[in-house]
Amino acid sequence: MKTSYVVLATATATVAVGIARLVHSERQNRQRLALHAEEIHQELISDAVSNPELRVMWTAPGELPDEEYREILHCNRLISLLSVKFRAGLLDRASLRVQARWLMAREVGRTHWATLGSFREEEAVDRIDRTFNAIMADEYAAMVAVDAVAT
């Protein structure tokens, strides 16, 4: 009877290890896909920054002057990079908050978030996106409050 328990325990442990490996492999695959999608996104933004015709195509009529939109696109590159680094586990909440504070201390960061932050919140698909957006929004609000006190 004891031998069958040992065999069962060994089989159960083997299955558990196999499941853990599958979960880990799936997580790594999702991270690789996110990083690859970010590469493509960065190329698209780069194209839009360097090509006025593409900027016009992606800007709604009457939204922003061309130069301001170029600056926002540059800022979007950084925000997108921070987002994928956070998703891939390369930034934790504390380090993301430091980066967000640095970004929102700059006018272009606040302009970007005021213009497109609500869109990022609408397109959030999971808790990681919502956490990222909440941290960015918190730092944006903090800097807007600092600006209000200063003026």
Side-chain angles (χ1 to χ4, degrees), residues 50-72:
S50 63
N51 185 331
E53 292 171 0
L54 288 176
R55 280 195 308 280
V56 168
M57 183 173 73
W58 293 113
T59 306
E63 272 194 0
L64 295 171
D66 187 56
E67 188 55 36
E68 191 173 347
Y69 188 55
R70 275 175 40 94
E71 291 173 3
I72 284 177

Side-chain angles (χ1 to χ4, degrees), residues 13-29:
T14 303
V15 169
V17 168
I19 290 171
R21 284 184 181 162
L22 283 173
V23 168
H24 181 70
S25 177
E26 177 60 24
R27 182 178 304 129
Q28 284 184 324
N29 190 43

Side-chain angles (χ1 to χ4, degrees), residues 80-151:
S80 295
L81 176 63
L82 293 174
S83 175
V84 78
K85 285 175 72 174
F86 184 64
R87 175 166 293 285
L90 301 173
L91 291 174
D92 62 12
R93 288 176 189 228
S95 57
L96 174 60
R97 191 166 295 282
V98 169
Q99 294 291 317
R101 189 172 303 127
W102 179 89
L103 179 62
M104 295 306 171
R106 281 133 186 89
E107 185 176 341
V108 69
R110 293 187 305 276
T111 300
H112 177 282
W113 198 258
T115 306
L116 297 172
S118 62
F119 177 72
R120 289 190 76 90
E121 291 172 5
E122 285 177 35
E123 71 174 354
V125 296
D126 59 17
R127 119 186 117 67
I128 295 170
D129 286 344
R130 288 187 291 279
T131 300
F132 176 86
N133 290 339
I135 290 170
M136 297 300 284
D138 288 349
E139 294 305 321
Y140 168 78
M143 286 301 166
V144 167
V146 167
D147 283 350
V149 169
T151 55

